[in-house]
Short mmCIF file of all heavy atoms in Angstrom, two decimals:
data_model
loop_
_atom_site.label_atom_id
_atom_site.label_comp_id
_atom_site.label_asym_id
_atom_site.label_seq_id
_atom_site.Cartn_x
_atom_site.Cartn_y
_atom_site.Cartn_z
N LYS Y 1 5.10 -21.11 4.01
CA LYS Y 1 3.78 -21.32 3.44
C LYS Y 1 3.69 -20.72 2.04
O LYS Y 1 4.34 -19.73 1.73
CB LYS Y 1 2.71 -20.71 4.34
CG LYS Y 1 2.56 -21.41 5.71
CD LYS Y 1 1.53 -20.73 6.56
CE LYS Y 1 1.33 -21.45 7.89
NZ LYS Y 1 0.66 -22.75 7.72
N LYS Y 2 2.85 -21.31 1.22
CA LYS Y 2 2.67 -20.84 -0.14
C LYS Y 2 1.48 -19.89 -0.21
O LYS Y 2 0.42 -20.15 0.35
CB LYS Y 2 2.45 -22.04 -1.08
CG LYS Y 2 3.66 -22.94 -1.18
CD LYS Y 2 3.40 -24.14 -2.07
CE LYS Y 2 4.63 -25.05 -2.15
NZ LYS Y 2 4.37 -26.23 -3.00
N LEU Y 3 1.68 -18.79 -0.92
CA LEU Y 3 0.70 -17.71 -0.95
C LEU Y 3 0.23 -17.46 -2.38
O LEU Y 3 1.01 -17.49 -3.32
CB LEU Y 3 1.35 -16.44 -0.39
CG LEU Y 3 0.48 -15.18 -0.25
CD1 LEU Y 3 -0.65 -15.40 0.76
CD2 LEU Y 3 1.34 -14.00 0.18
N GLY Y 4 -1.09 -17.23 -2.51
CA GLY Y 4 -1.67 -16.81 -3.78
C GLY Y 4 -2.22 -15.42 -3.65
O GLY Y 4 -2.71 -15.04 -2.60
N ALA Y 5 -2.16 -14.62 -4.72
CA ALA Y 5 -2.68 -13.25 -4.70
C ALA Y 5 -3.65 -13.06 -5.86
O ALA Y 5 -3.37 -13.45 -7.01
CB ALA Y 5 -1.55 -12.25 -4.77
N VAL Y 6 -4.79 -12.44 -5.55
CA VAL Y 6 -5.79 -12.07 -6.55
C VAL Y 6 -5.97 -10.56 -6.46
O VAL Y 6 -6.43 -10.06 -5.42
CB VAL Y 6 -7.12 -12.81 -6.29
CG1 VAL Y 6 -8.19 -12.35 -7.27
CG2 VAL Y 6 -6.94 -14.31 -6.37
N VAL Y 7 -5.59 -9.83 -7.49
CA VAL Y 7 -5.58 -8.37 -7.40
C VAL Y 7 -6.27 -7.75 -8.61
O VAL Y 7 -6.29 -8.35 -9.69
CB VAL Y 7 -4.13 -7.82 -7.29
CG1 VAL Y 7 -3.41 -8.44 -6.11
CG2 VAL Y 7 -3.34 -8.05 -8.56
N THR Y 8 -6.83 -6.58 -8.41
CA THR Y 8 -7.41 -5.85 -9.53
C THR Y 8 -6.33 -5.25 -10.41
O THR Y 8 -6.41 -5.27 -11.63
CB THR Y 8 -8.35 -4.74 -9.04
OG1 THR Y 8 -7.70 -3.99 -7.98
CG2 THR Y 8 -9.65 -5.32 -8.51
N ILE Y 9 -5.30 -4.67 -9.76
CA ILE Y 9 -4.21 -4.04 -10.48
C ILE Y 9 -3.00 -4.00 -9.56
O ILE Y 9 -3.14 -3.92 -8.35
CB ILE Y 9 -4.62 -2.62 -10.96
CG1 ILE Y 9 -3.71 -2.10 -12.06
CG2 ILE Y 9 -4.67 -1.65 -9.78
CD1 ILE Y 9 -4.26 -0.87 -12.77
N TYR Y 10 -1.81 -4.09 -10.15
CA TYR Y 10 -0.57 -4.09 -9.34
C TYR Y 10 0.33 -3.01 -9.93
O TYR Y 10 1.20 -3.25 -10.75
CB TYR Y 10 0.08 -5.46 -9.47
CG TYR Y 10 1.15 -5.80 -8.44
CD1 TYR Y 10 1.65 -7.11 -8.39
CD2 TYR Y 10 1.65 -4.88 -7.54
CE1 TYR Y 10 2.64 -7.47 -7.45
CE2 TYR Y 10 2.63 -5.22 -6.63
CZ TYR Y 10 3.13 -6.51 -6.58
OH TYR Y 10 4.10 -6.86 -5.68
N SER Y 11 0.07 -1.77 -9.51
CA SER Y 11 0.78 -0.62 -10.06
C SER Y 11 1.52 0.11 -8.94
O SER Y 11 1.43 -0.26 -7.77
CB SER Y 11 -0.22 0.33 -10.73
OG SER Y 11 -1.18 0.78 -9.80
N ALA Y 12 2.23 1.17 -9.31
CA ALA Y 12 3.15 1.82 -8.38
C ALA Y 12 2.43 2.41 -7.19
O ALA Y 12 2.98 2.46 -6.09
CB ALA Y 12 3.94 2.90 -9.12
N ARG Y 13 1.19 2.88 -7.36
CA ARG Y 13 0.49 3.53 -6.26
C ARG Y 13 -0.80 2.80 -5.90
O ARG Y 13 -1.85 3.38 -5.70
CB ARG Y 13 0.19 5.00 -6.63
CG ARG Y 13 1.48 5.82 -6.76
CD ARG Y 13 1.16 7.25 -7.17
NE ARG Y 13 0.43 7.98 -6.15
CZ ARG Y 13 1.01 8.59 -5.09
NH1 ARG Y 13 2.29 8.49 -4.89
NH2 ARG Y 13 0.27 9.24 -4.22
N SER Y 14 -0.71 1.48 -5.83
CA SER Y 14 -1.89 0.66 -5.57
C SER Y 14 -1.75 -0.03 -4.22
O SER Y 14 -0.66 -0.20 -3.69
CB SER Y 14 -2.05 -0.39 -6.66
OG SER Y 14 -0.99 -1.34 -6.60
N HIS Y 15 -2.89 -0.45 -3.69
CA HIS Y 15 -2.89 -1.23 -2.46
C HIS Y 15 -2.20 -2.58 -2.68
O HIS Y 15 -1.60 -3.14 -1.74
CB HIS Y 15 -4.31 -1.45 -1.96
CG HIS Y 15 -4.81 -0.34 -1.08
ND1 HIS Y 15 -5.76 -0.54 -0.13
CD2 HIS Y 15 -4.46 0.96 -1.02
CE1 HIS Y 15 -6.00 0.61 0.50
NE2 HIS Y 15 -5.25 1.53 -0.04
N ALA Y 16 -2.26 -3.10 -3.89
CA ALA Y 16 -1.57 -4.38 -4.16
C ALA Y 16 -0.08 -4.21 -3.91
O ALA Y 16 0.56 -5.10 -3.32
CB ALA Y 16 -1.83 -4.83 -5.60
N ARG Y 17 0.49 -3.10 -4.34
CA ARG Y 17 1.91 -2.90 -4.08
C ARG Y 17 2.16 -2.78 -2.57
O ARG Y 17 3.09 -3.38 -2.02
CB ARG Y 17 2.44 -1.66 -4.79
CG ARG Y 17 3.93 -1.50 -4.54
CD ARG Y 17 4.55 -0.29 -5.16
NE ARG Y 17 5.99 -0.30 -4.94
CZ ARG Y 17 6.80 0.66 -5.33
NH1 ARG Y 17 6.33 1.72 -5.93
NH2 ARG Y 17 8.09 0.58 -5.09
N ASN Y 18 1.34 -1.99 -1.91
CA ASN Y 18 1.54 -1.76 -0.49
C ASN Y 18 1.40 -3.03 0.35
O ASN Y 18 2.00 -3.14 1.43
CB ASN Y 18 0.56 -0.70 0.03
CG ASN Y 18 1.00 0.71 -0.35
OD1 ASN Y 18 2.19 0.98 -0.44
ND2 ASN Y 18 0.06 1.59 -0.56
N ILE Y 19 0.61 -3.98 -0.11
CA ILE Y 19 0.40 -5.22 0.63
C ILE Y 19 1.27 -6.36 0.11
O ILE Y 19 2.05 -6.98 0.84
CB ILE Y 19 -1.09 -5.62 0.61
CG1 ILE Y 19 -1.91 -4.55 1.37
CG2 ILE Y 19 -1.30 -7.00 1.24
CD1 ILE Y 19 -3.42 -4.71 1.24
N VAL Y 20 1.17 -6.66 -1.20
CA VAL Y 20 1.90 -7.80 -1.74
C VAL Y 20 3.42 -7.58 -1.65
O VAL Y 20 4.18 -8.49 -1.32
CB VAL Y 20 1.47 -8.06 -3.20
CG1 VAL Y 20 2.28 -9.24 -3.78
CG2 VAL Y 20 -0.02 -8.35 -3.28
N ASP Y 21 3.88 -6.35 -1.93
CA ASP Y 21 5.30 -6.07 -1.83
C ASP Y 21 5.87 -6.39 -0.45
O ASP Y 21 7.02 -6.84 -0.34
CB ASP Y 21 5.58 -4.60 -2.14
CG ASP Y 21 5.90 -4.36 -3.61
OD1 ASP Y 21 5.65 -5.27 -4.43
OD2 ASP Y 21 6.40 -3.27 -3.96
N ARG Y 22 5.08 -6.17 0.57
CA ARG Y 22 5.58 -6.46 1.93
C ARG Y 22 5.73 -7.95 2.17
O ARG Y 22 6.60 -8.37 2.94
CB ARG Y 22 4.66 -5.80 2.95
CG ARG Y 22 4.92 -4.27 3.06
CD ARG Y 22 3.88 -3.57 3.90
NE ARG Y 22 4.35 -2.26 4.33
CZ ARG Y 22 4.36 -1.16 3.57
NH1 ARG Y 22 3.88 -1.21 2.33
NH2 ARG Y 22 4.84 -0.02 4.03
N PHE Y 23 4.91 -8.77 1.53
CA PHE Y 23 5.10 -10.21 1.63
C PHE Y 23 6.31 -10.65 0.81
O PHE Y 23 6.98 -11.63 1.16
CB PHE Y 23 3.85 -10.95 1.15
CG PHE Y 23 2.80 -11.10 2.21
CD1 PHE Y 23 1.77 -10.15 2.31
CD2 PHE Y 23 2.84 -12.14 3.09
CE1 PHE Y 23 0.80 -10.29 3.32
CE2 PHE Y 23 1.87 -12.28 4.10
CZ PHE Y 23 0.86 -11.34 4.19
N LEU Y 24 6.62 -9.93 -0.27
CA LEU Y 24 7.78 -10.28 -1.10
C LEU Y 24 9.09 -9.80 -0.52
O LEU Y 24 10.10 -10.49 -0.61
CB LEU Y 24 7.61 -9.67 -2.50
CG LEU Y 24 6.48 -10.23 -3.38
CD1 LEU Y 24 6.39 -9.43 -4.66
CD2 LEU Y 24 6.72 -11.70 -3.69
N MET Y 25 9.08 -8.58 0.07
CA MET Y 25 10.33 -7.92 0.43
C MET Y 25 10.53 -7.72 1.92
O MET Y 25 11.60 -7.32 2.36
CB MET Y 25 10.38 -6.53 -0.24
CG MET Y 25 10.23 -6.58 -1.74
SD MET Y 25 10.18 -4.89 -2.42
CE MET Y 25 9.75 -5.25 -4.11
N GLY Y 26 9.49 -7.97 2.70
CA GLY Y 26 9.57 -7.72 4.13
C GLY Y 26 9.23 -6.29 4.47
O GLY Y 26 8.94 -5.46 3.59
N TYR Y 27 9.25 -5.99 5.76
CA TYR Y 27 8.88 -4.66 6.23
C TYR Y 27 9.45 -4.44 7.62
O TYR Y 27 9.82 -5.39 8.32
CB TYR Y 27 7.35 -4.50 6.24
CG TYR Y 27 6.60 -5.58 7.01
CD1 TYR Y 27 6.24 -5.39 8.34
CD2 TYR Y 27 6.23 -6.77 6.38
CE1 TYR Y 27 5.57 -6.38 9.04
CE2 TYR Y 27 5.54 -7.77 7.07
CZ TYR Y 27 5.20 -7.55 8.40
OH TYR Y 27 4.53 -8.52 9.09
N GLU Y 28 9.52 -3.19 8.01
CA GLU Y 28 10.08 -2.82 9.32
C GLU Y 28 9.02 -2.95 10.41
O GLU Y 28 7.91 -2.46 10.27
CB GLU Y 28 10.60 -1.39 9.29
CG GLU Y 28 11.74 -1.15 8.31
CD GLU Y 28 13.04 -1.80 8.78
OE1 GLU Y 28 13.21 -1.95 10.00
OE2 GLU Y 28 13.86 -2.14 7.92
N MET Y 29 9.39 -3.61 11.50
CA MET Y 29 8.55 -3.68 12.68
C MET Y 29 9.42 -3.63 13.92
O MET Y 29 10.40 -4.40 14.02
CB MET Y 29 7.70 -4.97 12.71
CG MET Y 29 6.55 -4.95 11.72
SD MET Y 29 5.28 -3.69 12.07
CE MET Y 29 4.53 -4.36 13.52
N HIS Y 30 9.11 -2.74 14.84
CA HIS Y 30 9.83 -2.62 16.11
C HIS Y 30 11.33 -2.42 15.89
O HIS Y 30 12.17 -2.98 16.59
CB HIS Y 30 9.58 -3.85 16.98
CG HIS Y 30 8.13 -4.17 17.15
ND1 HIS Y 30 7.24 -3.26 17.70
CD2 HIS Y 30 7.41 -5.28 16.83
CE1 HIS Y 30 6.03 -3.82 17.72
NE2 HIS Y 30 6.10 -5.01 17.19
N GLY Y 31 11.66 -1.62 14.87
CA GLY Y 31 13.05 -1.27 14.62
C GLY Y 31 13.86 -2.34 13.92
O GLY Y 31 15.07 -2.20 13.76
N ARG Y 32 13.22 -3.44 13.48
CA ARG Y 32 13.93 -4.52 12.79
C ARG Y 32 13.16 -4.88 11.53
O ARG Y 32 11.96 -4.69 11.44
CB ARG Y 32 14.07 -5.75 13.67
CG ARG Y 32 14.77 -5.50 14.99
CD ARG Y 32 15.31 -6.77 15.59
NE ARG Y 32 14.27 -7.80 15.73
CZ ARG Y 32 14.53 -9.05 16.12
NH1 ARG Y 32 15.77 -9.42 16.39
NH2 ARG Y 32 13.55 -9.93 16.24
N ARG Y 33 13.88 -5.40 10.58
CA ARG Y 33 13.23 -5.84 9.34
C ARG Y 33 12.70 -7.26 9.49
O ARG Y 33 13.44 -8.16 9.92
CB ARG Y 33 14.19 -5.76 8.16
CG ARG Y 33 13.46 -5.89 6.82
CD ARG Y 33 14.15 -5.12 5.74
NE ARG Y 33 13.33 -5.08 4.50
CZ ARG Y 33 12.48 -4.13 4.21
NH1 ARG Y 33 12.32 -3.09 5.02
NH2 ARG Y 33 11.80 -4.14 3.08
N HIS Y 34 11.46 -7.41 9.16
CA HIS Y 34 10.79 -8.71 9.29
C HIS Y 34 10.47 -9.26 7.91
O HIS Y 34 9.93 -8.56 7.05
CB HIS Y 34 9.50 -8.53 10.09
CG HIS Y 34 8.63 -9.76 10.09
ND1 HIS Y 34 8.98 -10.92 10.75
CD2 HIS Y 34 7.44 -10.02 9.48
CE1 HIS Y 34 8.03 -11.83 10.56
NE2 HIS Y 34 7.11 -11.30 9.79
N MET Y 35 10.80 -10.52 7.67
CA MET Y 35 10.49 -11.19 6.42
C MET Y 35 9.39 -12.23 6.65
O MET Y 35 9.60 -13.21 7.38
CB MET Y 35 11.74 -11.86 5.85
CG MET Y 35 11.52 -12.45 4.45
SD MET Y 35 11.20 -11.18 3.21
CE MET Y 35 12.83 -10.40 3.11
N PRO Y 36 8.20 -12.03 6.10
CA PRO Y 36 7.12 -12.98 6.30
C PRO Y 36 7.50 -14.40 5.84
O PRO Y 36 8.26 -14.56 4.87
CB PRO Y 36 5.98 -12.44 5.43
CG PRO Y 36 6.26 -10.97 5.37
CD PRO Y 36 7.75 -10.87 5.32
N ASN Y 37 6.98 -15.37 6.53
CA ASN Y 37 7.28 -16.77 6.26
C ASN Y 37 6.36 -17.32 5.16
O ASN Y 37 5.71 -18.35 5.34
CB ASN Y 37 7.18 -17.60 7.55
CG ASN Y 37 7.76 -18.98 7.35
OD1 ASN Y 37 8.83 -19.15 6.79
ND2 ASN Y 37 7.05 -20.00 7.85
N PHE Y 38 6.27 -16.57 4.07
CA PHE Y 38 5.37 -16.92 2.97
C PHE Y 38 6.10 -16.75 1.65
O PHE Y 38 6.91 -15.82 1.49
CB PHE Y 38 4.11 -16.04 2.98
CG PHE Y 38 3.16 -16.36 4.09
CD1 PHE Y 38 3.35 -15.75 5.33
CD2 PHE Y 38 2.14 -17.25 3.92
CE1 PHE Y 38 2.49 -16.06 6.38
CE2 PHE Y 38 1.29 -17.55 4.97
CZ PHE Y 38 1.46 -16.97 6.20
N ASN Y 39 5.80 -17.62 0.72
CA ASN Y 39 6.37 -17.55 -0.62
C ASN Y 39 5.25 -17.38 -1.61
O ASN Y 39 4.44 -18.31 -1.80
CB ASN Y 39 7.18 -18.81 -0.89
CG ASN Y 39 7.86 -18.78 -2.26
OD1 ASN Y 39 8.15 -17.70 -2.80
ND2 ASN Y 39 8.12 -19.94 -2.81
N LEU Y 40 5.15 -16.21 -2.23
CA LEU Y 40 4.13 -15.98 -3.25
C LEU Y 40 4.46 -16.82 -4.47
O LEU Y 40 5.53 -16.66 -5.08
CB LEU Y 40 4.07 -14.50 -3.62
CG LEU Y 40 3.02 -14.12 -4.68
CD1 LEU Y 40 1.61 -14.33 -4.14
CD2 LEU Y 40 3.22 -12.68 -5.15
N ILE Y 41 3.55 -17.73 -4.82
CA ILE Y 41 3.83 -18.61 -5.96
C ILE Y 41 2.94 -18.32 -7.16
O ILE Y 41 3.28 -18.72 -8.29
CB ILE Y 41 3.67 -20.11 -5.57
CG1 ILE Y 41 2.21 -20.43 -5.21
CG2 ILE Y 41 4.61 -20.47 -4.43
CD1 ILE Y 41 1.92 -21.93 -5.17
N ALA Y 42 1.79 -17.63 -6.95
CA ALA Y 42 0.84 -17.45 -8.05
C ALA Y 42 0.04 -16.17 -7.86
O ALA Y 42 -0.26 -15.77 -6.75
CB ALA Y 42 -0.08 -18.66 -8.14
N MET Y 43 -0.34 -15.59 -9.02
CA MET Y 43 -1.12 -14.35 -8.98
C MET Y 43 -2.11 -14.31 -10.14
O MET Y 43 -1.82 -14.78 -11.24
CB MET Y 43 -0.20 -13.12 -9.04
CG MET Y 43 -0.95 -11.79 -9.16
SD MET Y 43 0.14 -10.35 -9.19
CE MET Y 43 0.69 -10.33 -7.49
N TYR Y 44 -3.28 -13.75 -9.86
CA TYR Y 44 -4.20 -13.34 -10.91
C TYR Y 44 -4.28 -11.82 -10.84
O TYR Y 44 -4.58 -11.24 -9.76
CB TYR Y 44 -5.58 -13.94 -10.74
CG TYR Y 44 -6.59 -13.31 -11.69
CD1 TYR Y 44 -6.64 -13.70 -13.02
CD2 TYR Y 44 -7.45 -12.31 -11.25
CE1 TYR Y 44 -7.53 -13.11 -13.91
CE2 TYR Y 44 -8.36 -11.73 -12.13
CZ TYR Y 44 -8.39 -12.11 -13.45
OH TYR Y 44 -9.27 -11.52 -14.32
N CYS Y 45 -3.98 -11.13 -11.95
CA CYS Y 45 -4.01 -9.67 -12.01
C CYS Y 45 -5.02 -9.25 -13.07
O CYS Y 45 -4.81 -9.55 -14.26
CB CYS Y 45 -2.62 -9.11 -12.31
SG CYS Y 45 -2.48 -7.33 -12.21
N ASP Y 46 -6.09 -8.60 -12.69
CA ASP Y 46 -7.22 -8.33 -13.60
C ASP Y 46 -6.90 -7.29 -14.66
O ASP Y 46 -7.35 -7.41 -15.81
CB ASP Y 46 -8.44 -7.89 -12.79
CG ASP Y 46 -9.74 -7.96 -13.58
OD1 ASP Y 46 -9.97 -9.01 -14.20
OD2 ASP Y 46 -10.49 -6.97 -13.56
N GLN Y 47 -6.16 -6.24 -14.28
CA GLN Y 47 -5.85 -5.16 -15.22
C GLN Y 47 -4.35 -4.87 -15.20
O GLN Y 47 -3.69 -4.97 -14.17
CB GLN Y 47 -6.63 -3.90 -14.88
CG GLN Y 47 -8.14 -4.07 -14.99
CD GLN Y 47 -8.90 -2.77 -14.70
OE1 GLN Y 47 -8.31 -1.78 -14.30
NE2 GLN Y 47 -10.21 -2.81 -14.91
#
């Protein structure tokens, strides 16, 4: 699926990193790495 992101800021210590990065890079669940079935294609970043 194609994913769009609308964020206020995408910095090192932001919620955008904590959420969007996991869609881009995957995350650990139940001892295994899971890669979401989504492809981020577009973003609006306010700051």
